[in-house]
Amino acid sequence: MNKVIFMRGKLVVVSGPSGSGKSTVTKLVKDRLNIPLSISATTRNPRDGEIDGKDYYFLTKEKFQKKIKNDEFYEFANVHGNYYGTLKKTVEENLEKGLNVILEIDVQGALIVKEKKKDAVLVFFKTENLEVLENRLRNRKTDSEEVIELRLKNAKKELEYEKKYDYVIVNKNIEESCNELINIINL
Ligand code: 5GP
């Protein structure tokens, strides 16, 4: 009799300081590999052009806390003064269907995921140095000076977590970084 093997998808977690280019690369890789979008919930305000239910589920603090109480999150963390969280259903339903899942989340969330699921693959994105990071944050013109300062301060702390990750991608070139991430997913 034939043996039926159920393949579960791979859970890949991408983190790195704001401005490291991780979102751009992750979006491109998801498109190329047909990986479904995983939409996080957040209490931060939408930026210009961001759409509720597409970029994030934008929630009030009260609604977010209710979801915490109802145990709806796979992981959540306070990042740059706001809550961000991955909903359980986003992860579990897709993995069970055999689909790969990429979560683009902060370092605290990544470590929670690794604790829950030992075979999750953690990928850290960074720039060559902090100067490049600062230039990118300023050039994208999405955040106020205060937010940029906070994100730079947090970047220094985030970089200390690099050694806890399975892979590090130094994002100098988007195309090369996409290929590196695709190789890691396909390993
Ligand atoms: P941004 O405000 O720039 O969209 O995201 C700020 C930070 O929050 C980024 O480092 C991003 O990876 C992280 N983040 C986004 N979604 C989640 C999530 O669901 N959980 C956690 N822990 N971090 C998240």
Side-chain angles (χ1 to χ4, degrees), residues 28-86:
L28 285 167
V29 168
K30 279 183 176 170
D31 275 356
R32 287 183 196 175
L33 299 184
N34 252 326
I35 295 178
L37 286 176
S38 43
I39 304 163
S40 293
T42 183
T43 59
R44 89 149 157 73
N45 292 325
R47 295 190 185 119
D48 277 352
E50 283 185 331
I51 297 169
D52 183 41
K54 180 170 173 274
D55 298 289
Y56 280 105
Y57 298 113
F58 293 101
L59 304 180
T60 59
K61 210 169 166 192
E62 291 68 35
K63 284 207 173 132
F64 198 102
Q65 278 165 338
K66 200 165 166 212
K67 287 194 185 296
I68 297 177
K69 226 170 126 198
N70 293 341
D71 199 24
E72 288 181 55
F73 287 110
Y74 193 76
E75 64 72 37
F76 69 91
N78 192 307
V79 191
H80 313 311
N82 284 300
Y83 280 123
Y84 291 80
T86 310

Side-chain angles (χ1 to χ4, degrees), residues 15-184:
S15 317
S18 293
S20 59
K22 62 184 190 298
S23 311
T24 309
V25 172
T26 306
K27 279 197 188 101
L28 285 167
V29 168
K30 279 183 176 170
D31 275 356
R32 287 183 196 175
L33 299 184
N34 252 326
I35 295 178
L37 286 176
S38 43
I39 304 163
S40 293
T42 183
T43 59
R44 89 149 157 73
N45 292 325
R47 295 190 185 119
D48 277 352
E50 283 185 331
I51 297 169
D52 183 41
K54 180 170 173 274
D55 298 289
Y56 280 105
Y57 298 113
F58 293 101
L59 304 180
T60 59
K61 210 169 166 192
E62 291 68 35
K63 284 207 173 132
F64 198 102
Q65 278 165 338
K66 200 165 166 212
K67 287 194 185 296
I68 297 177
K69 226 170 126 198
N70 293 341
D71 199 24
E72 288 181 55
F73 287 110
Y74 193 76
E75 64 72 37
F76 69 91
N78 192 307
V79 191
H80 313 311
N82 284 300
Y83 280 123
Y84 291 80
T86 310
L87 292 159
K88 273 187 182 167
K89 60 174 190 202
T90 313
V91 179
E92 288 164 357
E93 283 173 11
N94 285 322
L95 290 180
E96 270 158 30
K97 281 189 218 155
L99 299 172
N100 292 330
V101 173
I102 309 186
L103 300 179
E104 195 218 305
I105 61 179
D106 89 306
V107 290
Q108 306 165 76
L111 297 184
I112 297 172
V113 171
K114 190 73 173 180
E115 196 56 43
K116 283 194 165 178
K117 194 163 165 37
K118 300 281 179 243
D119 61 354
V121 180
L122 305 194
V123 184
F124 192 88
F125 267 72
K126 64 177 192 177
T127 51
E128 301 99 293
N129 54 51
L130 282 172
E131 224 182 307
V132 174
L133 191 74
E134 182 166 355
N135 286 338
R136 284 204 196 155
L137 280 175
R138 292 194 185 286
N139 289 339
R140 67 185 193 184
K141 299 192 168 72
T142 47
D143 298 305
S144 63
E145 182 59 31
E146 196 188 349
V147 169
I148 291 173
E149 296 288 333
L150 178 66
R151 285 177 181 233
L152 277 172
K153 198 172 131 216
N154 288 345
K156 289 177 195 149
K157 284 191 220 149
E158 282 161 339
L159 285 163
E160 289 170 18
Y161 285 83
E162 175 188 328
K163 44 189 177 298
K164 297 192 186 281
Y165 280 65
D166 300 302
Y167 298 93
V168 176
I169 295 180
V170 181
N171 184 23
K172 291 188 199 160
N173 172 290
I174 289 185
E175 197 50 40
E176 278 173 26
S177 300
C178 280
N179 289 335
E180 283 174 39
L181 186 56
I182 290 173
N183 287 341
I184 292 167

